[in-house]
Each structure stands twice: as C-alpha cells, then as structure tokens.
Amino acid sequence: MQFQDWLRSLRFSGGDSKSEVDNLKTLLPSLPSSFSLSSIIGLGALASLTTYWLVTRPRPIQPPCDLQAQSIPVQGDQSCRRSALLKDDNLLEFYYEDTKTVYDMFQRGLQIAGNGPCLGFRKPGEPYQWISYTEVAERAQVLGSGLLAKGCKPNPQQYVGIFAQNRPEWVITELACYTFSMALVPLYDTLGLEAMVHILKLAEISMVVCDKEDKAESLLKIKEKGVTPALSCLVLFNPFSAALLERGRKCGVEILQLSQIMVRSNINPPKPQDLAVVCFTSGTTGNVTDQQTPQTLLTVSMFCHGARVGFYQGDISLLMDDIKTLKPTFFPVVPRLLNRIYDKILGSVTSPLRRAILHYAVRRKQAELSSGVVRNNSLWDRLIFNKIQASLGGNLRFILTASAPISPTVLSFLRATLGCLIFEGYGQTECTAGCTFSMPGDWSAGHVGAPLPCAMVKLTDIPDMNYYAKNGEGEICIRGHSVFRGYLKDEERTGEALDADGWLHTGDVGQWLPNGTLRIVDRKKHIFKLSQGEYIAPEKIENVYTRCVAVLQVFVHGDSLQSHLIGVVVPDPEVFVDWAKERGIVGSYEELCQNPDVKKAVLEDMTAVGKEAGLKSFEQVKDLYLHPEMFSVSNGLLTPTLKSKRVDLRRVFSEQIAQMYSKSSV
C-alpha cells in the first residue's frame, strides 16, 4: 500500500460489520418448526447479543507496513535507512502537489473549512470563542499590508520579529509574514538580554510585533543602549500607555497599535525555496535558520486539514481547566507533562486493593494494545479510566510526544489509561522538528519509530565512545528535504553541522533495532571524562533517574578531575511528603530536603533504579543535594524547550558541588 493511500484510509476500526450482520439474518429463516416460542425468543436474544458484539467488538489498527521491517537499508547499507512506506529511495518532498509552502497549507485549510472555526481563545470562566478561517486570512492580509506600509519589503530577506505569548494574534502575524514572503523571527524573553541583542543585530530587525507593554519596554531598553540601530517600529496587540509612546519617540522607535496599520494591498506569496522562519535556539547564541519551528509545524499541519487550534489563557496554572473546556482531539505534549500525569495517577491510588485493581486493569488494556487494539470504551475504561480521560477533555484520539526521551513504562501505562493513540517522534529544529515517528499499529515502547518518508537516517562511528555503525550504533545523521539550510550568517557552524554530502550531524547516539526502528541510547555533545578515563553521558543518566517516584528533576555533574558523579535533585512536590512518610520520615517539603535520612533514601532509590536500567557503577551518582525549587525557564535553569542549561546549573550549584566533592576527598 502506498504511503498516501494508507494515510487516507487510516481509521480506528476496520472490517465490514454489515456483511456479518446480513449473514446472521440469512440463518434465522432455517430454524426447525418444532422450536417453541420461548426457544425462538431466547435464540433471538442470543442473536441480538451476537450481532451487537460483531458490530462493536474491538478491531486492531491495520499498520501501513510490516511492523517487523519498518525501515529499509539504502543501497544495501544497513547503517543508512529510509521509510518502508516509500516505494524506492526517492524521498517524499510534497504530500500534496498544490501545497508546497506554509502559506499554501493554510490556504488549503481555508478551502476546506471556509467560515469554519480556526483559532480559539477564552476568558476566565467562559467557553472558547473562535475566529474563522476566512477572518484569519483577512486579518493576515491586512496586517501584512500594514507591515509593508511601515517600510517592510515583500521578500524572504525581510526579517520581522514577533515577541509574544502563544495566542491567535501570534499565528495571524506569522501568516501575515508568509502572505507577503517575509521571514518570521520569534523572540522569547527567556532567551535573556544578551541573546536578544544578538538576534536583533544579526538579523538587522527593524520591525517587531509584541503582545504587551512590558515586552515593548524590554526592547526599548535595548534600543536606548544604542546597540540595535535598525530597530525602528513596534506594533502591539494590547493597548499601551502614553508614557511608552513618549519613551519610544525619544529613542527613535515608532510605537503603534495593531489596528493602526491594518490596510490592504495585493498579496505576494512565497516560493517553495524561500525562507519562512529564523529560529534562534535556546540557551546560547546558536542561530538556526529553518523552514519551520516545531510549533509552526504542528499548527500549520492542523491548518492544512481545516482543523481548529485552541490556545490556553496564558496562565499555566489554568492549563488543565483550558484543556477540559477545549476538549481537544489532538494534544502535542512534552514527556515531562506525561510523567506528571503518570505520577499523579499513581499517587492518587493509596490503598493496596485499589492499586492492585488499577494495575490489573492496565495489564488488560495493554494486552489489547499488544494485539493492535486502541480504544476508550472497554469495561475498564468505564469503570476505572474514564475520570482520567475526562481530566484531559474526554475526546483525545491522538497524542504526540517529543523533545526528550520518555520512559517505556510511562508510555505503555498512559497508552492503556488514556485509551488513545500516543506516538513518539524524534528530531531537532535543524531538521524541521521530526525525522522519525512511531508507526501506527506498533504500540511497543523504547524506541522513536522509523524514518519519516521525507528523510534518510544513518549512523556513523564514534570511536571514542566505542560506537560503530557496523554494529548498528553511532551518531545519528539526517539527510532529506526537511533538513535546514544552515545557521544564519555563520558558515563555520553550518559547516560543523552539515557535511559536504548534506548530512546533518545531530550529536545524538542511536541504535537500529531488528524491526527497523531507531532507539536513542546516548548523547555525544555533552559527554565528559572522569579522572579514570570513563566517558559519561549525563543526559542518559538523568533520563533514568527521573523514573524514580520521588524525583522530579535531576542534574548529574562530574569532571575529569573527579572519579565519581554527584547530582542535584528536585523532589516532586506532589508526592515527596507522602513518599517520605511511607518511610517513617515526617516533615514539610523544605524540611525533608534538608533531612540527611531522606537524602539517603532518595539516593538508594536512584541507585536501585539505575541498576535496574543497566547503569554501570561509574555512571551512578555517589552523593546528591536536594533542592526545594524547580529548575524553570523563569529562573534561568531550563531552556524554553525545557532542556537543562548545564552551564548555568553548574554555576548556580557550584557551592553545593564543591561541598559534595570535598566530603568525598576527606
């Protein structure tokens, strides 16, 4: 079956139940005349039950390819593979021949949905309000026209900044740029002042669209220092004060409200080869130019099919209420959120009997999963899992998790309890977010699926870490239509990432499994040596330790002057107090973090989980510090994509690190 044909035919159940019912009907007239009325009634009841079962019985999803051969070697090279959904080694470039740009994707959705809902938002305590596809297209055209009226040029060398929280106006601004072939440059306050200055200067940004006054003030602060001479105009979504207007006038920046630049001119759509987005990666001044960011990829994929996209209110504490109100069918999440859901479910079941029933129900649903059946209407769903599913709106059909590894235990558990398709993907911004994706029908865990039809994936030797492609292990490299064109105005770093043959070197270490799927096993970029010469990949170890019930976040540290590892652990505030109480230790969250007996218990638990996961002795932390505050974007310890900022973590905890190592040397 071809890739396109299979996608069109994918559904939750298959088979012709109508023909099965018709076959039952043909049997009924042949009953013997000696049957009593009660026998006929009884047989009729049995037939009705049988008919109901035939119609409603669970059916497995039909996979689009042989699940034991999900990828194919390219030209006989076992280390280089492509999707089994392709007929040959020619990679998929466009799914629809008339849809070749992000602008085209929205236009396709507009043709499908017309006046149907597109972008949703809500106020506290109110239902979602929707902006139609037609209105979004209209607003994008007049906003883009307004940007041209303020001096922007309709070409991909025109970089327009957007400095705002996720909301409908963000997407409208994005589409406004695409409508007139301009390139979008997303800005985030979590990047920090130095990175913001770097971005504005490098891209020579003259126009930035903001949501609120405080963001405009931070840009004016940079302008006032005289380091961003190109910046000349700010456009705000929200109303602003006269003081802001005056401050802008003094430093040569025109400040306007969105409604002030809404005019109309003829559109100038982009070509397939035109740049769409310049995405600056978090935590550094590493500057990625790319066709699409992961967020853009997800939203425009929804638009392409006329779907509606709802935004949260902007307050993370109200996120679960927004989800319940929106009742989404598709939910992209980071593994960290799925881990929290998993911990919360287990933490809410305290009695041994209820926990035994929960695990039995999970095993029964997992048995169905192993045969390819995914559903949310089983007996166990009605009796046990319906409240869990209702907490996420009750309509979920499809969850996508990416950006970091997820524990196979958590993934299998949630596939059973949530009763929906959960796919795992792998990729980076440099390859337009994704290059592998788990295959429908394959509900095993511990891998990130097979290559997508748009990319080839190969593994290359890393001799220092003893990984060799001939053994099916090595650095993951990607080539295909989704790979970026390079880093903005940085040929040196572009040459480091892209080799002469166009392969993107990811820095991640992968392993091909016998069924043609890829497993992420290590990380090349953050490795270091201990004093005895052993190589350490801290992110791999951290991913293992976060499986501990009491551990929410962990930072593993070591260096070449030390013979062992130490760690900084943030206990999970939702379960930590009860977890300690089960071990006979009582206290507040902060008190427990300072209790040496609690630290010993956490360390023992981490060591046990590490041993079970196959960590070697030198990969286990020998001491740790319990920290009572989460690593977050706001305190500068996480990137906007929720990855650890290792340099900053080392700096913030330098005193604790020194104390732990000084104790071990005494």
Side-chain angles (χ1 to χ4, degrees):
M1 183 184 293
Q2 291 188 26
F3 175 60
Q4 289 90 338
D5 295 336
W6 171 80
L7 277 179
R8 295 189 184 99
S9 67
L10 179 62
R11 54 187 179 181
F12 280 84
S13 60
D16 188 354
S17 57
K18 183 177 183 301
S19 63
E20 293 165 339
V21 175
D22 289 341
N23 288 338
L24 274 175
K25 289 178 181 176
T26 63
L27 294 175
L28 294 179
S30 63
L31 296 174
S33 58
S34 59
F35 262 44
S36 66
L37 181 60
S38 60
S39 297
I40 294 175
I41 292 174
L43 189 58
L46 177 62
S48 298
L49 289 172
T50 304
T51 301
Y52 176 79
W53 180 80
L54 285 170
V55 172
T56 63
R57 77 186 192 276
R59 295 176 176 84
I61 289 178
Q62 297 302 314
C65 69
D66 181 359
L67 294 182
Q68 301 308 311
Q70 297 182 36
S71 65
I72 305 296
V74 176
Q75 297 180 355
D77 182 356
Q78 293 293 330
S79 67
C80 179
R81 307 183 75 88
R82 49 90 172 167
S83 172
L85 300 177
L86 297 171
K87 286 183 174 181
D88 51 38
D89 292 346
N90 293 314
L91 299 178
L92 182 70
E93 185 172 10
F94 301 110
Y95 183 70
Y96 299 109
E97 279 304 312
D98 61 347
T99 306
K100 297 185 176 182
T101 67
V102 181
Y103 174 82
D104 292 341
M105 294 176 79
F106 184 82
Q107 292 301 309
R108 185 177 186 276
L110 175 61
Q111 292 176 4
I112 294 171
N115 278 321
C118 178
L119 302 177
F121 63 96
R122 70 183 294 237
K123 298 176 181 178
E126 295 183 9
Y128 268 85
Q129 302 176 53
W130 294 93
I131 307 171
S132 72
Y133 270 83
T134 302
E135 186 176 354
V136 169
E138 171 71 15
R139 289 194 194 182
Q141 183 174 350
V142 295
L143 173 56
S145 301
L147 296 177
L148 298 187
K150 300 310 297 183
C152 292
K153 305 299 181 184
N155 62 61
Q157 288 75 46
Q158 176 69 63
Y159 302 129
V160 176
I162 180 166
F163 191 13
Q165 205 168 28
N166 287 344
R167 54 191 280 183
E169 292 89 346
W170 202 106
V171 173
I172 291 169
T173 303
E174 177 187 20
L175 293 171
C177 291
Y178 300 153
T179 303
F180 292 93
S181 300
M182 295 179 282
L184 189 74
V185 184
L187 304 172
Y188 305 96
D189 47 13
T190 52
L191 290 170
L193 180 63
E194 182 183 353
M196 291 279 281
V197 171
H198 174 79
I199 294 168
L200 293 168
K201 288 176 63 177
L202 185 71
E204 300 179 51
I205 294 175
S206 60
M207 167 75 72
V208 179
V209 182
C210 308
D211 55 358
K212 300 177 182 178
E213 186 164 332
D214 61 335
K215 291 194 174 68
E217 287 176 341
S218 64
L219 291 171
L220 291 181
K221 184 178 180 180
I222 294 173
K223 175 69 175 182
E224 288 165 346
K225 293 181 177 181
V227 293
T228 55
L231 184 61
S232 60
C233 186
L234 301 180
V235 178
L236 273 72
F237 299 156
N238 293 0
F240 52 84
S241 66
L244 182 74
L245 191 68
E246 178 62 17
R247 185 178 177 183
R249 186 189 64 79
K250 288 181 178 179
C251 64
V253 176
E254 184 179 14
I255 299 178
L256 302 166
Q257 191 143 4
L258 199 62
S259 58
Q260 292 180 265
I261 65 165
M262 301 294 254
V263 296
R264 176 181 288 277
S265 59
N266 294 330
I267 65 172
N268 184 23
K271 301 176 181 64
Q273 67 270 23
D274 287 344
L275 180 68
V277 177
V278 180
C279 178
F280 286 79
T281 56
S282 54
T284 66
T285 55
N287 328 307
V288 181
T289 84
D290 196 357
Q291 276 68 34
Q292 298 168 329
T293 63
Q295 172 190 316
T296 300
L297 177 66
L298 288 171
T299 54
V300 298
S301 296
M302 296 298 100
F303 296 150
C304 189
H305 297 91
R308 64 181 77 179
V309 176
F311 293 86
Y312 80 130
Q313 296 175 61
D315 185 344
I316 196 67
S317 66
L318 301 175
L319 178 61
M320 294 310 295
D321 182 59
D322 290 335
I323 292 173
K324 289 179 184 177
T325 304
L326 183 65
K327 301 183 184 301
T329 53
F330 170 54
F331 190 31
V333 296
V334 294
R336 180 181 168 195
L337 180 56
L338 294 181
N339 289 337
R340 295 295 296 273
I341 294 171
Y342 172 79
D343 292 338
K344 200 160 188 176
I345 294 171
L346 292 184
S348 66
V349 183
T350 54
S351 77
L353 177 60
R354 288 187 175 183
R355 180 157 292 202
I357 293 172
L358 171 66
H359 286 300
Y360 180 79
V362 168
R363 287 196 299 272
R364 297 311 307 153
K365 287 292 297 291
Q366 287 175 339
E368 287 192 345
L369 279 170
S370 65
S371 61
V373 173
V374 180
R375 59 171 175 158
N376 60 6
N377 61 353
S378 71
L379 174 66
W380 302 111
D381 291 302
R382 294 189 177 97
L383 292 178
I384 297 175
F385 302 135
N386 61 340
K387 289 185 178 180
I388 299 170
Q389 295 161 6
S391 69
L392 296 175
N395 288 338
L396 273 179
R397 297 179 61 196
F398 180 12
I399 289 177
L400 169 62
T401 180
S403 83
I406 183 170
S407 160
T409 301
V410 173
L411 188 58
S412 297
F413 180 90
L414 292 179
R415 278 174 171 160
T417 56
L418 298 181
C420 66
L421 306 174
I422 303 182
F423 295 102
E424 187 173 7
Y426 163 76
Q428 339 183 287
T429 307
E430 286 91 337
C431 65
T432 321
C435 67
T436 71
F437 199 77
S438 52
M439 196 74 71
D442 180 6
W443 309 125
S444 60
H447 62 80
V448 292
L452 286 166
C454 61
M456 291 180 184
V457 178
K458 75 171 180 178
L459 304 180
T460 60
D461 295 344
I462 313 175
D464 288 348
M465 299 177 70
N466 203 32
Y467 289 117
Y468 293 95
K470 65 181 181 181
N471 300 327
E473 300 173 330
E475 181 181 7
I476 300 169
C477 298
I478 307 159
R479 188 172 70 180
H481 303 297
S482 60
V483 172
F484 80 147
R485 65 180 60 173
Y487 295 103
L488 183 64
K489 301 178 183 178
D490 194 337
E491 294 184 5
E492 182 179 350
R493 290 192 64 235
T494 298
E496 293 172 359
L498 293 172
D499 65 26
D501 295 321
W503 288 97
L504 169 66
H505 291 250
T506 67
D508 293 319
V509 182
Q511 175 188 47
W512 288 120
L513 300 183
N515 64 353
T517 60
L518 183 69
R519 173 182 289 162
I520 310 301
V521 298
D522 218 328
R523 179 74 176 158
K524 179 183 177 184
K525 288 185 178 178
H526 291 143
I527 63 170
F528 55 82
K529 272 185 181 181
L530 293 176
S531 59
Q532 66 271 37
E534 301 286 3
Y535 281 97
I536 298 295
E539 290 167 321
K540 179 188 76 171
I541 300 169
E542 290 162 356
N543 289 330
V544 170
Y545 284 151
T546 53
R547 300 176 196 172
C548 299
V549 174
V551 175
L552 178 64
Q553 296 169 313
V554 59
F555 167 59
V556 171
H557 174 77
D559 64 54
S560 59
L561 300 177
Q562 305 293 340
S563 61
H564 65 273
L565 303 174
I566 50 93
V568 177
V569 169
V570 178
D572 189 336
E574 293 189 7
V575 301
F576 190 47
V577 173
D578 290 337
W579 182 87
K581 190 180 294 184
E582 290 174 1
R583 287 152 181 79
I585 308 172
V586 178
S588 67
Y589 179 78
E590 290 75 14
E591 290 169 344
L592 292 172
C593 285
Q594 298 174 18
N595 189 314
D597 292 331
V598 174
K599 185 181 84 167
K600 181 181 178 183
V602 173
L603 183 58
E604 289 175 350
D605 192 31
M606 290 170 59
T607 302
V609 170
K611 186 176 181 180
E612 183 181 350
L615 293 184
K616 300 178 177 66
S617 175
F618 62 82
E619 292 178 303
Q620 297 269 27
V621 297
K622 301 300 188 271
D623 197 2
L624 56 84
Y625 166 70
L626 297 180
H627 185 59
E629 180 186 355
M630 288 175 57
F631 309 154
S632 67
V633 175
S634 59
N635 63 24
L637 300 180
L638 292 183
T639 71
T641 54
L642 304 182
K643 293 182 174 64
S644 295
K645 297 173 75 170
R646 311 194 73 83
V647 173
D648 295 298
L649 283 162
R650 282 195 296 271
R651 175 180 52 80
V652 169
F653 295 106
S654 59
E655 183 179 339
Q656 290 85 355
I657 289 170
Q659 288 176 352
M660 284 186 276
Y661 277 131
S662 66
K663 284 192 299 182
S664 63
S665 62
V666 174

